[in-house]
Amino acid sequence: MSFRCIVKDASGYKTISDEALLIYNQKVQTTFSKTSGNVTFKVQYPENITCGMPTTFKLSSEGTTDKVQYALYSLTTEDGTIVYDTSYGSNGKFFSKDSFDFTFYASGTYYIRFAIMDTGVSPYVWFNTGLYGIKLVIDDKGYPTVENVVADLKAQCGKTCTTDFEKAVWFNDWLVENCRYDSSYSYCAPEGALARGSGTCEAYHRAYVMLLNSVGIATDRISGDGHVWTGVQLDGNWYHIDTTWDDAGYEDNSVDLQHLYFGLNDELMNQIHSSVTSSNGISAHSLEDNYFIKTGKIKKWSDQYVSTIREHLNNGENTFDITINDSMIDSYKQIIYYLVAYQLSNTDWGGEKLTVTYSENILHCVVE
């Protein structure tokens, strides 16, 4: 049996196992108390919180009626980042039970706030424990801080990646492979994506920002249609990268979904979303570092049209259309064939300047 800790109780000092330590940590409790008027609100919780297992917060009150209820009001990191979104659904609603369980997955400093409401008196009683009332300092060796997770991933990335493009792809792929979308819309902090393995689009975006910024890559927050993704500067140009949508949760043999939304420009994103807003007003016009363009993988689709285009050009045609026969899902096709049009427009046609655009299953070709 392995031992790692010495604790003291009424009988003196003793060495305990890891398993016993978990039980010990849950038994040693601390209590927060706040009084407003005739009501005292108490929150009891473990003095030493262990990650990866539920932490129980026991709620009680004095001077209240049988109609008293409690609610989780907020849970944030030390810098104010929301960890658990109490504004969504029933997450922040009042409940009649006298306890609340939450599982932490990263060490660090948190502030948790509970609210009390007693509707059995008039006027009814309502107050909370205060923004900085309950401070939780978690130091669990098996669950590093989010900052340490980022530092570790930065080191791993540096072993194989040298360019900013390679690093941005590596971090994108790590998030896709290690996180799943949080359909409960609860976990919106980097902690969700980097430690918990589950997060909303906000969690994906914020985690990606932390990872990219750790290697000196500039970022921006971009939103549209109630969704959030990341603006990324690569080789002096800005691009849209949506790590959430790159994590489709399934595979499609027709296209690489893991990189479908990597390195898009403003024009394409405005076709995908009805409204696109950049926090810092960036403009993204380049496609040079788009994943499919940069890696040359777009040629899987574009090369099949080269001979047809050459035939039209050899016949002296200055304007012609090519019909696309592809069973790919329309939303995927919209992106891939936009990139195909870009690739074909930048192909050497023996002195001819050809502009190709895509819309509704048609490649429109015009000789300038």
Side-chain angles (χ1 to χ4, degrees), residues 89-105:
S90 61
N91 290 352
K93 288 188 175 181
F94 281 88
F95 48 82
S96 56
K97 63 180 182 178
D98 60 0
S99 66
F100 176 82
D101 289 346
F102 188 84
T103 303
F104 294 89
Y105 282 90

Side-chain angles (χ1 to χ4, degrees), residues 72-336:
L72 175 64
Y73 199 64
S74 66
L75 176 57
T76 67
T77 59
E78 191 170 24
D79 65 2
T81 299
I82 296 172
V83 175
Y84 186 76
D85 189 357
T86 56
S87 69
Y88 183 80
S90 61
N91 290 352
K93 288 188 175 181
F94 281 88
F95 48 82
S96 56
K97 63 180 182 178
D98 60 0
S99 66
F100 176 82
D101 289 346
F102 188 84
T103 303
F104 294 89
Y105 282 90
S107 295
T109 300
Y110 301 85
Y111 289 99
I112 192 166
R113 184 165 38 156
F114 291 95
I116 182 173
M117 179 172 65
D118 186 0
T119 59
V121 294
S122 182
Y124 70 86
V125 173
W126 184 99
F127 65 94
N128 65 68
T129 54
L131 182 59
Y132 303 112
I134 303 177
K135 182 179 181 179
L136 309 174
V137 179
I138 302 175
D139 184 15
D140 188 326
K141 303 305 180 185
Y143 292 82
T145 65
V146 169
E147 291 75 15
N148 285 341
V149 172
V150 169
D152 180 64
L153 293 175
K154 174 185 176 181
Q156 291 183 45
C157 176
K159 293 177 181 179
T160 57
C161 303
T162 56
T163 68
D164 284 352
F165 172 82
E166 291 171 342
K167 294 171 185 177
V169 171
W170 196 94
F171 289 137
N172 174 88
D173 293 356
W174 188 92
L175 285 171
V176 170
E177 292 164 7
N178 291 276
C179 187
R180 67 184 185 280
Y181 188 73
D182 172 27
S183 298
S184 73
Y185 307 108
S186 300
Y187 305 105
C188 50
E191 176 267 356
L194 294 170
R196 188 175 298 274
S198 177
T200 64
C201 59
E202 193 73 61
Y204 278 81
H205 160 69
R206 290 183 177 184
Y208 199 39
V209 165
M210 288 187 71
L211 292 168
L212 293 173
N213 290 171
S214 75
V215 294
I217 298 177
T219 56
D220 188 26
R221 184 181 188 276
I222 306 178
S223 60
D225 301 329
H227 181 51
V228 174
W229 62 94
T230 313
V232 181
Q233 190 175 45
L234 301 173
D235 300 319
N237 295 312
W238 284 97
Y239 299 88
H240 298 261
I241 301 179
D242 191 337
T243 52
T244 308
W245 283 17
D246 274 346
D247 189 6
Y250 59 89
E251 295 183 358
D252 189 314
N253 292 331
S254 67
V255 66
D256 175 7
L257 298 179
Q258 188 165 311
H259 304 102
L260 189 61
Y261 296 92
F262 187 102
L264 305 186
N265 61 12
D266 287 344
E267 184 177 34
L268 190 47
M269 289 305 285
N270 277 296
Q271 293 178 19
I272 297 169
H273 295 280
S274 60
S275 62
V276 176
T277 303
S278 160
S279 295
N280 295 315
I282 67 161
S283 296
H285 301 300
S286 176
L287 286 173
E288 291 180 11
D289 278 353
N290 169 272
Y291 179 81
F292 293 96
I293 298 296
K294 184 81 169 182
T295 61
K297 292 184 178 182
I298 195 61
K299 292 183 177 181
K300 170 184 175 181
W301 295 275
S302 62
D303 278 1
Q304 60 187 303
Y305 302 105
V306 170
S307 60
T308 302
I309 290 175
R310 291 199 187 280
E311 289 181 16
H312 284 285
L313 293 177
N314 290 338
N315 290 333
E317 298 177 52
N318 291 324
T319 302
F320 52 91
D321 292 341
I322 300 175
T323 301
I324 303 299
N325 294 310
D326 194 322
S327 60
M328 185 187 299
I329 294 174
D330 286 343
S331 58
Y332 302 161
K333 193 185 300 183
Q334 179 183 18
I335 296 173
I336 290 298

Side-chain angles (χ1 to χ4, degrees), residues 10-58:
S11 63
Y13 290 98
K14 61 176 67 175
T15 303
I16 61 175
S17 68
D18 291 347
E19 187 175 71
L21 178 62
L22 295 178
I23 299 173
Y24 176 84
N25 283 342
Q26 293 295 315
K27 284 184 176 180
V28 180
Q29 300 282 307
T30 187
T31 301
F32 172 88
S33 178
K34 182 177 180 179
T35 300
S36 178
N38 297 321
V39 175
T40 298
F41 184 19
K42 295 182 180 181
V43 180
Q44 188 180 58
Y45 55 94
E47 184 175 309
N48 298 298
I49 292 175
T50 302
C51 293
M53 61 185 296
T55 294
T56 299
F57 296 85
K58 298 178 181 178

